[in-house]
C-alpha cells in the first residue's frame, strides 16, 4: 500500500454538507456546501491542487 495522502470525512447537519480533509501534517481543511455533489467536487479540487504538479 502506498503513502497516505489525506483522510476525508463527510457529514451532514440539516441541509448543509461538510467535508473535513485531514492531511498527514495535521492540517485540517473544512469545506461546506448545501449540495452533496458540490462538496465532493470541492474535495477533489482541493486534493488535486495539492498533489498535482
Amino acid at each position: 500500500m502506498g503513502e497516505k495522502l489525506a483522510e476525508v470525512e463527510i457529514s451532514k447537519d440539516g441541509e448543509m454538507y461538510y467535508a473535513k480533509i485531514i492531511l498527514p501534517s495535521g492540517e485540517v481543511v473544512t469545506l461546506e456546501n448545501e449540495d452533496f455533489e458540490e462538496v465532493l467536487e470541492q474535495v477533489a479540487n482541493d486534493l488535486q491542487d495539492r498533489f498535482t504538479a
Side-chain angles (χ1 to χ4, degrees), residues 28-41:
V28 176
V29 178
T30 304
L31 306 167
E32 60 184 69
N33 202 301
E34 290 181 354
D35 184 272
F36 183 69
E37 288 183 25
E38 288 290 326
V39 82
L40 292 178
E41 189 173 317

Side-chain angles (χ1 to χ4, degrees), residues 11-18:
S11 59
K12 183 178 180 185
D13 185 13
E15 296 298 315
M16 191 65 72
Y17 292 95
Y18 298 91

